[in-house]
Amino acid sequence: MSGQNHVRPDESATGIDRQQPVDIRKISLLHLKKTSGTSVYRQLRDAIMPGLIAPWNAEFSQAKQFSVLGGHYSAESIFELNGTNICFLRDPIGRVVSQYNYVQTLSDFEIFRNNDRGATAMRSLKFEDCLESADPAVMKDTSNYYCKSFFGDNYDRSEVFSEEGLLTARAWMVLDHIDFFGFKETFEVSVSDLMGFLGLSQPMKIYKEKDIRNLDKSSRQIDSLKTLEALSEKIAALNSDDIALFSNIVPRKVPGHAPQPNATLGAFPEARPGYKFNFHGKVDPFINILYLGWYDVEQGVWSRGKAAELAFFNTGDASVISFDIELPLHPNLLSEVITITINARQRYVYHAIRSHASIKVRGMSDDDFVVSIGASGVVRLNVPVSHLLPSLCHVVVSTDNHFVPSAYGDSGDDRELGFKLHGIEIF
């Protein structure tokens, strides 16, 4: 097949402009070596319901029985599952160097256990010799590893790239099996985008792959910038196709955020009468209730700007859910409007007024509530839920205003804060 541009009348110049799937039930992580795959999988493991996610890099016949799987599987086997496929990449030159350095840290037992022919051969070689090696197992890891992983070890370059260096329609037919590409260079942003795409809670902590510089050193590891500079031209020549592939994929549009939390896979906590969720101290068992738009938990948890979202499973036997919310103590702000929306249907509006204030509330409807803010700035909002059927509750809490602490003092805190959630209680 002759090379041709991948641009099609109904698609952008960087692949399919996908519509966000409403219901993601199967997730497969295609882990390419040294692209932070284990860190990505740890983020997924924290956000997925226990029992639904396979052990990392388990035998494929076992792993595919789970709703979520990840490991060093072939692209073909992943694509055959017809699930939602994700893959992380990094700059190809950095990947080759990282792969070699990592192999040098492995013990004899790890080399035997991993049964990786390329790693076994690379471990006994100097880096320069790896780049000159004619061993197919070594060459797969050091020369155009991405292209070989996606298109096969003996791919025809003319079927993958046009004369202008763009990916062909045939190449995009393969790559469009990947619903989400993330990047090690922008790892935190990519992880956040990924969790949003999958409808899972945003992580409070981003786990990063172990830094090769912090591992036990081997005499063969590359730790000299001068050495890398001398070899960079050689590495680039060996990976010219991967560099072209990477540059084609990086501009691809990031898929949008899921329209609602993923009720099928998400590890959202249950909200039963008598339960209390206090955001002080240890919150790990129910951290996924903080779905989107929150800063790290302190003594309470602040919203990122005017709105933030919660997700939990309503068991159907609760009558009221109470939210303890702290509002900023602006001397000139005598009232604040807080809106709580449940599942995009039920909407409750609360006019919070300072206890000493005497003001006229404008724009208030008969269904709105008026509540008093105490001296500490905390207000309790009681939301009726007895009419809700057992289901996942997606709750959006919003205020009309936000503030930046540094603008009101010398704190140096430049975050945009809307409100602080101290606790949720179920009655």
Side-chain angles (χ1 to χ4, degrees), residues 44-338:
L44 291 174
R45 190 168 59 237
D46 285 354
I48 298 291
M49 280 190 279
L52 298 183
I53 185 166
W56 171 248
N57 211 31
E59 288 290 335
F60 187 72
S61 59
Q62 173 196 2
K64 69 181 183 179
Q65 306 302 320
F66 289 80
S67 297
V68 182
L69 68 151
H72 294 295
Y73 308 123
S74 70
E76 293 85 355
S77 61
I78 289 288
F79 297 162
E80 287 175 358
L81 298 178
N82 294 319
T84 298
N85 302 319
I86 59 181
C87 181
F88 273 61
L89 302 176
R90 68 185 295 181
D91 174 73
I93 294 178
R95 196 210 66 80
V96 172
V97 174
S98 180
Q99 170 70 7
Y100 178 80
N101 279 345
Y102 174 68
V103 166
Q104 301 309 315
T105 70
L106 297 178
S107 66
D108 291 340
F109 171 74
E110 289 171 319
I111 286 287
F112 173 77
R113 180 196 62 192
N114 293 349
N115 192 29
D116 184 329
R117 289 186 58 242
T120 302
M122 290 175 72
R123 187 162 175 259
S124 62
L125 298 175
K126 292 182 179 180
F127 185 58
E128 296 89 328
D129 295 332
C130 284
L131 300 181
E132 299 291 344
S133 175
D135 184 333
V138 175
M139 292 176 66
K140 179 162 185 175
D141 282 348
T142 59
S143 175
N144 295 319
Y145 168 72
Y146 291 154
C147 287
K148 292 171 183 175
S149 298
F150 286 119
F151 309 118
D153 291 351
N154 299 311
Y155 70 92
D156 183 341
R157 190 183 192 282
S158 67
E159 294 186 349
V160 176
F161 297 100
S162 69
E163 294 180 358
E164 296 80 14
L166 298 175
L167 289 167
T168 63
R170 183 166 182 172
W172 277 115
M173 285 178 64
V174 174
L175 295 173
D176 280 340
H177 283 90
I178 303 295
D179 300 281
F180 182 97
F181 277 106
F183 303 96
K184 182 176 173 62
E185 287 80 3
T186 55
F187 188 69
E188 293 192 10
V189 172
S190 286
V191 167
S192 179
D193 288 341
L194 172 64
M195 303 306 269
F197 168 68
L198 297 175
L200 301 173
S201 293
Q202 291 290 318
M204 293 288 108
K205 178 181 180 181
I206 301 289
Y207 301 106
K208 294 187 177 179
E209 195 171 57
K210 48 189 174 292
D211 193 327
I212 198 73
R213 292 169 297 183
N214 297 330
L215 298 176
D216 292 337
K217 286 289 184 181
S218 161
S219 61
R220 290 195 179 93
Q221 278 186 268
I222 306 167
D223 55 9
S224 167
L225 182 60
K226 186 175 181 180
T227 300
L228 287 177
E229 289 176 347
L231 295 173
S232 61
E233 187 173 331
K234 175 67 173 178
I235 303 170
L238 286 171
N239 291 275
S240 59
D241 287 354
D242 272 11
I243 292 170
L245 178 88
F246 187 75
S247 65
N248 272 267
I249 291 177
V250 167
R252 192 183 192 190
K253 181 183 290 187
V254 176
H257 199 285
Q260 66 266 332
N262 191 323
T264 304
L265 301 178
F268 305 112
E270 287 188 346
R272 295 181 178 276
Y275 279 22
K276 294 181 180 180
F277 303 102
N278 292 315
F279 299 97
H280 299 262
K282 187 174 178 61
V283 298
D284 290 350
F286 55 86
I287 192 66
N288 288 321
I289 196 172
L290 301 173
Y291 176 61
L292 180 66
W294 303 95
Y295 287 106
D296 291 341
V297 176
E298 306 164 4
Q299 292 300 307
V301 55
W302 282 103
S303 66
R304 292 177 177 267
K306 298 179 184 180
E309 302 176 30
L310 302 159
F312 52 85
F313 285 102
N314 170 41
T315 58
D317 45 5
S319 57
V320 173
I321 298 180
S322 295
F323 299 85
D324 291 327
I325 290 176
E326 178 183 339
L327 297 168
L329 294 173
H330 295 318
N332 298 324
L333 188 63
L334 299 180
S335 67
E336 178 67 278
V337 178
I338 308 171

Side-chain angles (χ1 to χ4, degrees), residues 335-337 349-353 358-366 368-370 400:
S335 67
E336 178 67 278
V337 178
V349 179
Y350 301 82
H351 298 266
I353 301 173
S358 177
I359 64 172
K360 182 177 181 179
V361 178
R362 299 182 181 279
M364 182 173 172
S365 74
D366 293 340
D368 292 358
F369 300 89
V370 177
D400 280 357

